[in-house]
Amino acid sequence: MERTLKSKEDYLQHFAPQDYAKTYYSLSLGTSSENTILTFSLKNLHKVFILDGLKGDTLIDIGSGPSIYQLLSACECFREIIASDYTDQNREEMQRWLRKEPGAFDWSPVVKYVCELEGDREKWVEKEERVRRTIQQVLRCDVTQANPFSPLVVPPADCVLSTLCLEAACKDLPTYSSAMKNVGSLVKPGGHLVLVASLESTFYMAGQNRFFCLKLGQEDVDEAVKGAGFDVVWAQLGQLIYSLDVCNNRSIYALVARKKM
């Protein structure tokens, strides 16, 4: 049976950013499970940031991976975005896109889709430039540490966003609950936490490599969020699954929570 990778060292050695991005974020023509889940996330992030008006000075994105899709709506609502990831190669892949280097992953189909949600598909070049201006730091983070940015000290933000990260980074529920508190500590009192989580999955693929995913129910996420000092103010459950050879999830869960004062 194929080995499931789960350690921090496994991620540093075996996680391939472009393989991961091509699998989940290509937004190819036609309908695929991966496209459906990506557009679910984009529509909900559009609702949270653009339609519902969640905004502020600083947003921290925890576990960005090599991805910028999750920041396409947020960049319109925050003066500064701090992106972050545990692996060197994911941070470098994001930097390649920020620097417009040849061979960087092409996010333009996803950017055009979000611009269409916002009412003008043709503004996608302007949108890419806004993302590049707004992402002002790409930091190393480890959600299992009390200060995920240690030894750096980052001031608490108006909003912390995390998509498809914690369930991949945590080996069990106690670790997940602890990580949620660590991430929650980065939010100002009265600020917001925005999550997108894959539910009931035990693995996901990045290229030919199979990575561990913590099997979570909706109630597990809610309890961890509340335990970190937040009140859930909005949630959306999508009965959407990835292709079975890619990930064995049962649904996708998006939520917004407000930190108690």
Side-chain angles (χ1 to χ4, degrees):
M1 186 175 177
E2 185 178 9
R3 184 167 79 96
T4 300
L5 305 172
K6 67 187 298 186
S7 72
K8 294 177 183 180
E9 194 59 36
D10 285 334
Y11 270 88
L12 292 173
Q13 290 188 7
H14 300 294
F15 194 88
Q18 288 222 2
D19 287 347
Y20 171 77
K22 287 172 185 174
T23 298
Y24 298 96
Y25 306 121
S26 290
L27 204 59
S28 53
L29 293 174
T31 302
S32 72
S33 299
E34 288 66 55
N35 281 3
T36 302
I37 290 176
L38 174 57
T39 56
F40 170 86
S41 297
L42 295 173
K43 287 174 182 176
N44 280 293
L45 293 170
H46 172 73
K47 170 184 164 49
V48 168
F49 294 112
I50 304 298
L51 301 182
D52 293 349
L54 182 57
K55 60 185 178 180
D57 288 327
T58 302
L59 177 141
I60 296 174
D61 185 35
I62 292 289
S64 307
S67 310
I68 57 95
Y69 77 93
Q70 70 278 19
L71 305 174
L72 293 172
S73 294
C75 75
E76 304 289 342
C77 305
F78 290 86
R79 181 181 55 80
E80 171 192 31
I81 290 175
I82 300 171
S84 67
D85 198 76
Y86 179 74
T87 70
D88 302 334
Q89 62 268 35
N90 276 341
R91 297 194 307 277
E92 179 55 30
E93 180 62 31
M94 180 180 283
Q95 293 280 17
R96 289 177 67 199
W97 183 84
L98 292 172
R99 296 190 296 255
K100 304 183 186 180
E101 291 186 6
F105 185 74
D106 179 14
W107 287 100
S108 62
V110 181
V111 179
K112 290 174 184 176
Y113 179 86
V114 172
C115 287
E116 193 169 330
L117 290 178
E118 294 177 3
D120 190 349
R121 184 180 177 88
E122 299 309 311
K123 286 191 174 181
W124 68 273
V125 174
E126 182 182 323
K127 168 76 80 173
E128 287 195 342
E129 290 311 305
R130 179 180 287 275
V131 176
R132 289 186 170 100
R133 288 196 307 272
T134 310
I135 298 176
Q136 297 188 8
Q137 298 182 78
V138 182
L139 302 180
R140 182 185 183 278
C141 76
D142 182 348
V143 299
T144 66
Q145 302 299 309
N147 171 11
F149 295 122
S150 181
L152 296 179
V153 176
V154 175
D158 301 292
C159 180
V160 167
L161 168 68
S162 189
T163 58
L164 307 175
C165 168
L166 298 186
E167 59 269 35
C170 299
K171 63 181 180 178
D172 53 31
L173 274 176
T175 306
Y176 181 80
S177 297
S178 178
M180 192 71 74
K181 291 175 183 175
N182 299 339
V183 170
S185 72
L186 301 171
V187 183
K188 292 178 180 177
H192 290 84
L193 176 67
V194 180
L195 294 177
V196 178
S198 175
L199 300 185
E200 305 291 344
S201 52
T202 61
F203 78 90
Y204 72 98
M205 302 296 294
Q208 298 303 307
N209 291 314
R210 177 185 174 113
F211 287 87
F212 170 83
C213 197
L214 178 62
K215 188 174 183 179
L216 293 171
Q218 180 180 338
E219 65 283 355
D220 296 320
V221 180
D222 289 346
E223 287 177 13
V225 168
K226 292 171 185 174
F230 291 80
D231 293 316
V232 176
V233 296
W234 174 85
Q236 181 71 36
L237 183 67
Q239 299 293 347
L240 307 170
I241 61 171
Y242 289 106
S243 304
L244 293 179
D245 59 342
V246 166
C247 177
N248 64 342
N249 75 309
R250 296 286 181 88
S251 55
I252 296 290
Y253 187 41
L255 70 80
V256 178
R258 187 173 184 270
K259 190 170 186 177
K260 294 177 180 177
M261 299 293 289

